[in-house]
Amino acid sequence: MTIQQISVFLENRAGQLAEITSVLAKNNIDLRAIHIAETTDYGVLRIIADRAQDAANVLLNNGFILSMTPVVAAAVPDRPGGLAQLLAVLAQADMDIEYMYSMFGRGDGLAYMVFRVKDAEQLEAILRSHGVNPAAGADLGLN
Amino acid sequence: MERYYQPEIECASREQILAWQNERLVKQVQNVWDNVPYYRAKMEAKGLTPADIKGVEDLHKLPFVTKDDLREAYPYGLVARPLKDCVRIQSTSGTTGKRVVAFYTQHDIDLWEDCCARAIMAAGGTNEDVCQVSYGYGLFTGGPGLNGGSHKVGCLTIPTSSGNTERQIMFIRDLSATILCCTPSYAAYIGETMKEMGLTPDQIPLKAGIFGAEAWSEEMRQDIQNTLGIKAYDIYGLTELSGPGVSFECSEQTGMHINEDHFIAEIIDPDTGEVLPEGSQGELVFTSITKEAFPLLRYRTRDICVLSRKPCSCGRTHVKMCKPRGRSDDMLIIKGVNVFPSQIEAVLLEQGYAANYQIIVDRVNNTDTLEVQVEMTPEMFSDQLSAVADKEKQLVAALKAMLGIYAKVRLVAPKSIQRSEGKAVRVIDKRKI
């Protein structure tokens, strides 16, 4: 099952990120993961929030430009080679990864990789066929 | 020693110049009355006939011609000769609404090239010189005008056109170019590049430069002169009137002599249209009295300027104009290229961006820079940075195609560009000229 990532346009200027996090805080939204890709002039802030739709509405109401993207999270075995093993599975299946980043699970002590791919369902099927269960919202502390 | 291309004209007595102007103006008014219905209608609207214009003292009676007229009459409405007699057009940059297309007979081109030849000889040029023309060639008048003038003087002409700075420098050095013609900002850039290459002024064969098509300061002149080890001369012109060579600097470097045998200059109050006395600052207005194909009567240049008839040590008797002190309309001259905010707006909208933008013009190391700040829209945004960057690149390419020069694009957050009540502040020009 996919989870919803929110991507926000970030102008490269002092205070932009503080503005976003503070409006989310005011609305009692918990950030579960955060990742930034940037050029010199602007960036894309990617967040996983506990209440994705609420977070998106709050940001839209505050004038931010954003998009919602389904992403897939998978637990990574916490040992040397854990990520390598997971990525080998994707490589074998010829699965292109647009980008990925890591996040913690909710109280289970596991690390997760979040994958953005063209076809999220296909990725889930591949993972399952190799005995890896895509993370559910609850695993990550999402409502 | 001062050199002249046409000394009998350039140093003619004031009486002689006035006699030429009177005779040619009367002829030109009759010409447009007979051949350009657009002019005839404008004159009739003011109750004028050619008989009312007996000489320069009656010039003020004639209606002005503005850029709006050129737009309205585009493309053939102001042409005074059958197209079979025309041999060329030149054009300013611009969207259809703003583009000016000027027509030339062979005679017009001859006279225009004479004017450019006067400028080259005033800068010390002779048939022993090697003249590199690094203005753009094509629709832009800079390259063709100076190229023709250089031929008339008999210089060995190197038509490099603009761009490819390494090649420019190679030709200057390998062929010992002595005169460089280009925009002042490009001259400064060529100078900087040569300096970086470790060349000192005495290793650079150039001795003079003829730089125009954009505003430049005395400080910039000093910089260029020091870096290249040359004397830098200003030249002025408008496509509407012919191109470069409407006026040019002499050895005194204290203003540009207007070629008064071809152009009558007036200074008016831009608000009332009233002619101002000599020495006043106001809008420069030109009447082209020898143009055959595209004559303009009382054309408002939008350039703010002062005229001076103080005798000049160079021996020329034609009136001098100061460097234009700004323009009264929205056109920007960036790196010698005319840029209208509306062109940028058209590209933004075409590419799917919002019309909320701001244009920042600056001058860094004597080179003009252009930055377009545009607000991000949901349509243009993506969670993938490469997709946003690709669209940005497309926008940069589309702007380059429209304007002919590079514009840096800066994507900014929505609503971050200040809104103003009434007329939007689209342009921030930080250049200090």
Side-chain angles (χ1 to χ4, degrees):
Chain A
M1 64 170 288
T2 61
I3 52 178
Q4 287 296 317
Q5 170 196 279
I6 303 170
S7 311
V8 190
F9 177 72
L10 208 56
E11 191 190 336
N12 188 3
R13 110 180 114 77
Q16 268 266 284
L17 201 49
E19 223 177 299
I20 294 173
T21 48
S22 85
V23 297
L24 292 175
K26 264 184 219 146
N27 287 275
N28 208 23
I29 286 162
D30 187 24
L31 289 174
R32 301 294 305 130
I34 185 162
H35 178 248
I36 297 176
E38 87 286 350
T39 69
T40 48
D41 290 331
Y42 58 88
V44 178
L45 169 72
R46 295 153 185 159
I47 55 179
I48 307 283
D50 60 350
R51 290 177 286 130
Q53 197 52 55
D54 290 348
N57 290 341
V58 163
L59 290 170
L60 282 172
N61 291 339
N62 280 276
F64 289 98
I65 300 265
L66 58 83
S67 65
M68 304 275 278
T69 317
V71 291
V72 178
V76 183
D78 186 11
R79 56 177 151 74
L83 180 59
Q85 190 190 341
L86 183 59
L87 292 180
V89 166
L90 302 190
Q92 219 167 23
D94 225 1
M95 192 82 209
D96 257 343
I97 301 165
E98 306 288 348
Y99 56 83
M100 60 182 217
Y101 52 94
S102 58
M103 70 183 286
F104 290 113
R106 185 68 162 194
D108 56 12
L110 288 175
Y112 288 83
M113 279 318 287
V114 180
F115 294 100
R116 159 74 156 103
V117 295
K118 277 210 178 69
D119 187 347
E121 281 179 27
Q122 191 195 349
L123 172 60
E124 290 181 298
I126 291 164
L127 290 173
R128 283 205 185 89
S129 72
H130 286 81
V132 180
N133 277 329
D139 300 330
L140 305 168
L142 312 182
N143 295 330
Chain B
M1 191 197 68
E2 194 72 33
R3 295 195 176 90
Y4 313 97
Y5 178 66
Q6 291 164 313
E8 70 292 350
I9 297 172
E10 295 174 62
C11 304
S13 68
R14 288 302 313 168
E15 294 71 35
Q16 178 63 71
I17 293 171
L18 188 62
W20 283 327
Q21 290 189 333
N22 285 333
E23 182 206 329
R24 289 169 188 178
L25 175 65
V26 168
K27 239 173 93 185
Q28 189 69 291
V29 170
Q30 188 66 52
N31 174 34
V32 301
W33 175 269
D34 292 339
N35 297 308
V36 187
Y38 192 92
Y39 270 118
R40 189 179 187 133
K42 278 188 82 124
M43 283 176 67
E44 281 173 344
K46 284 197 114 187
L48 292 171
T49 68
D52 294 311
I53 311 299
K54 299 190 178 69
V56 177
E57 76 277 7
D58 296 322
L59 183 61
H60 67 96
K61 296 178 184 168
L62 288 166
F64 291 114
V65 174
T66 64
K67 252 205 167 77
D68 286 338
D69 288 306
L70 299 188
R71 229 169 279 164
E72 205 174 305
Y74 175 92
Y76 301 123
L78 293 174
V79 180
R81 283 284 182 280
L83 289 184
K84 69 177 172 52
D85 295 341
C86 298
V87 297
R88 198 192 301 165
I89 68 134
Q90 301 284 164
S91 176
T92 59
S93 66
T95 53
T96 315
K98 305 271 190 184
R99 186 180 290 282
V100 172
V101 174
F103 294 74
Y104 302 72
T105 62
Q106 185 56 51
H107 184 63
D108 290 333
I109 286 177
D110 250 8
L111 297 188
W112 172 28
E113 291 177 351
D114 282 346
C115 290
C116 292
R118 290 179 194 175
I120 291 170
M121 288 198 71
T126 70
N127 57 6
E128 314 241 323
D129 280 295
V130 177
C131 180
Q132 183 155 319
V133 182
S134 309
Y135 281 114
Y137 280 63
L139 288 170
F140 178 49
T141 53
L146 270 306
N147 186 86
S150 176
H151 280 211
K152 289 221 168 190
V153 173
C155 301
L156 175 61
T157 309
I158 313 177
T160 44
S161 194
S162 55
N164 197 339
T165 307
E166 272 174 37
R167 192 177 62 188
Q168 301 279 359
I169 294 171
M170 184 201 83
F171 276 119
I172 290 172
R173 299 181 73 192
D174 292 358
L175 300 181
S176 293
T178 49
I179 299 175
L180 176 65
C181 306
C182 60
T183 61
S185 52
Y186 196 44
Y189 183 68
I190 290 174
E192 282 310 307
T193 310
M194 285 177 135
K195 203 171 171 181
E196 279 164 23
M197 291 164 69
L199 294 172
T200 54
D202 57 297
Q203 292 170 309
I204 300 169
L206 293 171
K207 62 177 193 190
I210 299 169
F211 306 133
E214 67 186 6
W216 51 311
S217 61
E218 272 306 313
E219 294 72 36
M220 189 165 175
R221 188 210 300 267
Q222 292 308 325
D223 271 6
I224 295 171
Q225 293 194 148
N226 294 340
T227 320
L228 290 172
I230 61 170
K231 209 163 166 179
Y233 298 84
D234 203 353
I235 185 169
Y236 172 90
L238 297 162
T239 305
E240 294 89 319
L241 296 170
S242 60
V246 170
S247 66
F248 60 88
E249 261 183 353
C250 61
S251 55
E252 213 182 70
Q253 294 181 315
T254 56
M256 294 174 275
H257 289 283
I258 294 169
N259 285 311
E260 287 186 281
D261 51 326
H262 301 303
F263 307 102
I264 303 176
E266 297 171 277
I267 293 286
I268 63 158
D269 180 324
D271 297 323
T272 64
E274 185 198 342
V275 178
L276 298 176
E278 198 190 311
S280 312
Q281 174 166 303
E283 183 180 338
L284 190 55
V285 171
F286 279 112
T287 298
S288 49
I289 47 178
T290 51
K291 269 302 244 347
E292 292 181 337
F294 201 68
L296 292 182
L297 300 186
R298 303 197 84 201
Y299 180 64
R300 294 184 62 160
T301 62
R302 305 281 170 189
D303 282 327
I304 302 298
C305 198
V306 177
L307 298 182
S308 163
R309 292 196 189 279
K310 253 173 60 187
C312 186
S313 64
C314 76
R316 287 179 185 79
T317 48
H318 293 229
V319 69
K320 284 200 285 196
M321 58 179 272
C322 70
K323 281 177 184 291
R325 292 173 183 166
R327 302 185 85 97
S328 49
D329 68 0
D330 60 353
M331 187 183 82
L332 293 162
I333 299 186
I334 301 168
K335 295 181 185 167
V337 174
N338 298 350
V339 172
F340 289 91
S342 57
Q343 294 176 297
I344 292 172
E345 191 170 308
V347 173
L348 291 177
L349 294 173
E350 182 203 17
Q351 296 281 316
Y353 291 89
N356 295 318
Y357 64 94
Q358 204 154 47
I359 298 162
I360 317 284
V361 188
D362 204 347
R363 187 165 282 177
V364 180
N365 297 329
N366 281 333
T367 300
D368 290 344
T369 59
L370 169 62
E371 181 180 277
V372 179
Q373 296 187 349
V374 56
E375 286 184 2
M376 195 57 175
T377 60
E379 292 76 18
M380 301 312 286
F381 181 63
S382 161
D383 68 306
Q384 296 184 68
L385 197 61
S386 56
V388 178
D390 282 351
K391 283 178 182 156
E392 189 190 4
K393 270 185 212 149
Q394 273 173 32
L395 176 57
V396 169
L399 284 169
K400 177 90 199 269
M402 170 66 91
L403 307 174
I405 56 169
Y406 169 75
K408 178 184 161 52
V409 166
R410 196 174 144 88
L411 298 172
V412 297
K415 309 244 164 34
S416 64
I417 291 173
Q418 208 182 346
R419 306 297 200 265
S420 70
E421 291 167 17
K423 214 170 146 63
V425 181
R426 290 295 184 214
V427 179
I428 297 176
D429 196 334
K430 296 177 173 171
R431 292 178 292 187
K432 290 180 186 69
I433 294 163

